[in-house]
Amino acid sequence: MAQWEKLRQLESVYLTQVDELYDGDAFPMDVRHYLAHWIEGQDWDRAARDHDVAMLLFQVLLENLDIQHSRFVQGGESFLLQHNIRRFKQSFQRYQEEPYNLANIIQWFLVKEKEILQNAELAEQVQLLQVQQNPMETDSQRNIERKMTDLKNKVQCMEHTVKCLEEQQDEFDFKYQTHNMEGTTNEAEKTEQMKVLQALLNRLDASRKSMLSGMGVLLDGVEELLCVLVREELVQWQRRQQKACIGAPDSTCLDQLEKWFTTEAECLFQVRKFLKKLEELMGKVTYDQDPVKKQKPALQKRVDSLLTSLLKSAFVVETQPSMPQGKGPLVLRTNVQFSVKTRFLVKFPELNHAMKVNVSMDREAPLVKGYRRFNVLGTNSKALNMAESMSGGMVADFRHLTLKEQKSGGGGKGIHDLSLSVTEELHIINFNTEFLLHDMSVSLETSSLPVVIISNSSQQQSAWASILWFNMLCLEPKNLLFFANCPVAMWSQLGEMLSWQFLSSTTRGLESNQLDMIAHKLFGKQQSYDACNISWTKFSKENVPNTNFTFWVWFDGILFMVKSHLENLWKDGSIMGFVSKGKEKTLLKKKRRGTFLLRFSESIRDGGITFSWVDYSPTGEPDVRSVQPFTKVDLSQIPFHEIIRNFQILEDENVPENPLLFLYPDTPKVEAFGKYYTEKSGADSQYIKYIKTKLVFVSKENTLEAKSPMYSDTVEGSGLMNPRSGLGGEAFEPSTFPLSGIIGDPLPPEMPLSLDPMFSVAMVVPDEDLNPTLQEFLNDPNMYDCVDFLSDDTTFHEGALPGLPFTAPLQPCE
C-alpha cells in the first residue's frame, strides 16, 4: 500500500499530526494528495544532492500539475480546485534556479510521514501487548508534539528571515559601493542617493533587530521544551526504568524521547548556524548601534548553554547491567560476565562510530570502612553506533564485561563506621564520552542504577531483595548509603511490588484478595492496610514468627516454585495460592461436596503447595480436609496436575475414590486440568515410577487396612494414625471415627491387611505446620514393624510396592 494511503487510514490522533505537518505553504497537501503515486516513486534524496536530477524532477512535477489541472477541467471539478493547482504551479516556479531545494523539502515531508506511520505502528503493537498508556501522558506527548512542530516552523521561518536579511544587506552593500565608485558631484543627486542608502540601512537595521528578537522568542520556546524534556519526560522515563527493573509492566522505549531530543538539538544547531551567519554579515556591514554587535554574544552564550544541557541529558543507560542467568538486573557476580547498554538520544548520522564510550567503576565511592572496590574487565571501551540497536538508535552495547575485586587489605578506609552487609553495599558503573560536532565540544557522563555485587550464587536471593527495596523506594539513583538509613515501605508500595514479581515471571500478577492474605500475614487483622508500613529488617532480615526463615525467603520460594513447576496453572487462575487456613475453610464450607482449592503453604521455607476439599458428614456438617504440602522436590518428579488427577482416598466399602471434583468455585476438575493430562493414568502413567509408596493406616469400624499412597498426606477426620507418632507411639484419635486398635497394641488376628500399589490414600493431619516431611515418614524405622509377609524374600522398595495379589495377616508388634 502506498505511504499516503496508509496515512489516510490512520486514527484521528495521527491524522491530526498529518494536518499539522502540512499546515504551512512549503509543500501543499493538495499536491501531495493528487500526485501521491508519482511523488513516492522518485528518488528525492538523490535529487537533493544532484542538480541535474533535481531539475528533471522539477520539470516533471510541473508537467504533472498541468495534467492534473486538465483532469479537473475535463471532469468538471470545481473552479476552486483548478485555481489551486494553477497557484501551486506558479508558487513552485521560485525553485527554478535551485530545484534541489524543492527536492530537499519534499524528501523532508516524506521522512516525517514515515515517522508518523512508525509511531502509529508502535502504538498498535503496544496495544496488542496490552500495555496501557496513561491518558495524562498521552496528552503530554501531544502537547510536546505541537510545540515541536511549532518550533520547527519557527526555525524554518528564521531560515527564510536570514536569507531575506542577506539579500537586503547585499542590496545595501551593492548600492553603497556603487555610490562610492560613481563619486557624483551633484549635491542634489548625492543627497538623494544618501537618502536611499539611509532608508536601506534603516530597513536593514530593523530587519536585524527583528531577527534578533525572533531568535530570543525562539530560544524561549527551546528552553521551555528543554525543561519539559529533561525535568519531566526524562525523569519519568528514568523512574519507569527503575520500576521496570523490578518487574513493573512500564514501557522503557526511548524512541520517542530520541526523536524529541534530536529535533531540539537540530533546532539549536540551526540557531548557532544563524548566529554564525549574522557574524559573517556583520563582518561585511556594520555601523554604530549595530544590534548584532550588542546582542549576539548573549544569544550565543544562551544557545551554547541550552545545547550543552540538552547533550548532557541525552546520554543515558538504556539497558541496566544484568547477568544472563541472574534473578534480575542490577545483581552482578564477580568473574561472571554481564551486559549493559548506553544510548545517546541525539541521533545525528555523522556521529555514527565517532563517539567512544569508556566504562569505569565507583568514581564517587562513599567513605565507608570496608567498602569494596572493583575493576571492570573486558571490552570496556566502545563507539556509539547505529548497528547494535533494533530501532537504529545510537548505542554502545557492552556484552562481555566482568568485575574483579581489588585486593586492598579488607576494603577501603572511610570516615563512616557503618555496618552494611555485602548485599546492602551499593555500587555504580560509570560511562563517559566526548561530543564533538560543528566546533561544539561537550564531555558527557552517565551512570547505571546502583548494583549489588556478590561473589557466590547463594547471595542472589538476598541481593535481589536489596534491589527490589531500593528501586521501590529510592528516587535518588546515586544514594549509595541508602541502606545505612533505610526507609520503611507503605503496604500499597510493597503489595504492588510483590504483584510485579509474579507478573514479570508468569504474566499474571496478584489479585486483591491474595494481597489481603499477605497483608494479614505481615500486619495481622486490620480494617484497612493503607496506613500499614513495613521495615527493611522485617521484610528481609527477621524471621516470620514460629519459623526459621524471613518473609522474603518464603515469598521468593513460592515464586520460584510457581515459575518452575506451576506456571500454567497459575496463569490459568487455577491456583488461589495466597489464602489463609481460616479463609480457606470459610470458602469451602459454602460449596458442594468435592469442591477444592489450591493454596500455598505458610510453613515451608522454599515454597509448598497443598489442596483442601470439602466433604459432608451423614448429618450434613461440612468437613474441610487437607493434605501435607508438596514441595518443589516433589513437583520436579511429578506434575501437580497429575497428583490432583490420581489422588484417591478410601471411602465406604473400601472403594478408592478421588475426592477432588470441582475446582473452586465450581469448575469441574477435568475442565480445569484436563488439557494438561497425559494420555495414560494409573498403572500406565509415565509418572508411576516417581510415586513414593508407603503404608498409610486407615481405620474403619473393625478393620485396619494398609494402602499404598501416592504422595499421601493426612485427611482430617478420616480416622487415621498421627504419623508424628512414628507408627509405634501415641496415636491421633479423631472423634469422627472410633479406632478399634492402635499400631503397637495387640490386634485381633482376623483383621486383614490389604496391599494395593495403585491407589493413593490420604492421611489426616490436624495441623500442617507440625507434620513430618514425606521422606521423614517414609524413613521411619518403625514403618514396617507390624507387617509380616508370607515370603521371606518379599521386600519393599522406595518408589513402588511389589504387586502382592494377596491378603496377609497382620501380626501383633512385640
Side-chain angles (χ1 to χ4, degrees), residues 624-723:
V624 176
R625 305 178 178 185
S626 300
V627 297
Q628 182 174 318
F630 302 94
T631 66
K632 61 185 180 182
V633 175
D634 302 323
L635 300 177
S636 66
Q637 296 176 344
I638 179 170
F640 195 44
H641 58 264
E642 291 294 334
I643 295 175
I644 295 173
R645 179 189 188 186
N646 291 285
F647 178 78
Q648 292 182 329
I649 62 172
L650 286 178
E651 292 291 353
D652 296 337
E653 305 303 328
N654 295 335
V655 178
E657 178 181 313
N658 191 322
L660 311 179
L661 304 177
F662 304 98
L663 178 66
Y664 185 90
D666 56 6
T667 305
K669 182 176 65 176
V670 174
E671 181 179 329
F673 304 101
K675 56 180 172 287
Y676 303 117
Y677 290 167
T678 57
E679 293 183 3
K680 299 178 180 179
S681 63
D684 297 325
S685 172
Q686 61 177 311
Y687 300 109
I688 194 67
K689 63 181 179 180
Y690 298 118
I691 298 175
K692 294 180 180 178
T693 308
K694 55 184 175 285
L695 296 178
V696 182
F697 295 84
V698 182
S699 172
K700 185 168 189 272
E701 296 180 354
N702 293 324
T703 62
L704 183 64
E705 297 181 339
K707 307 299 290 186
S708 60
M710 185 163 62
Y711 287 92
S712 304
D713 272 308
T714 60
V715 181
E716 184 175 346
S718 64
L720 299 182
M721 286 286 294
N722 183 352

Side-chain angles (χ1 to χ4, degrees), residues 325-368:
Q325 304 301 324
K327 287 185 70 69
L330 304 173
V331 176
L332 306 180
R333 183 179 171 185
T334 53
N335 302 316
V336 175
Q337 286 189 347
F338 68 93
S339 62
V340 60
K341 184 191 294 184
T342 60
R343 184 166 177 174
F344 188 48
L345 299 179
V346 176
K347 184 180 175 181
F348 288 168
E350 54 265 44
L351 294 176
N352 194 23
H353 293 283
M355 296 171 62
K356 181 179 289 186
V357 179
N358 299 306
V359 187
S360 59
M361 192 80 187
D362 287 330
R363 286 187 176 180
E364 301 177 1
L367 299 175
V368 175

Side-chain angles (χ1 to χ4, degrees), residues 723-743:
R724 195 182 311 113
S725 66
L727 300 184
E730 183 180 355
F732 168 67
E733 300 185 34
S735 57
T736 308
F737 301 105
L739 281 172
S740 61
I742 299 176
I743 298 301

Side-chain angles (χ1 to χ4, degrees), residues 239 242-243 246 467-475 489-490 493-498 500 534 539:
R239 182 55 185 157
Q242 259 192 293
K243 292 161 62 179
I246 58 174
I467 295 301
L468 292 176
W469 201 261
F470 178 91
N471 290 287
M472 174 176 62
L473 298 177
C474 188
L475 300 179
M490 299 300 296
Q493 296 172 308
L494 179 64
E496 184 178 46
M497 183 270 284
L498 295 178
W500 291 342
I534 180 174
F539 175 74

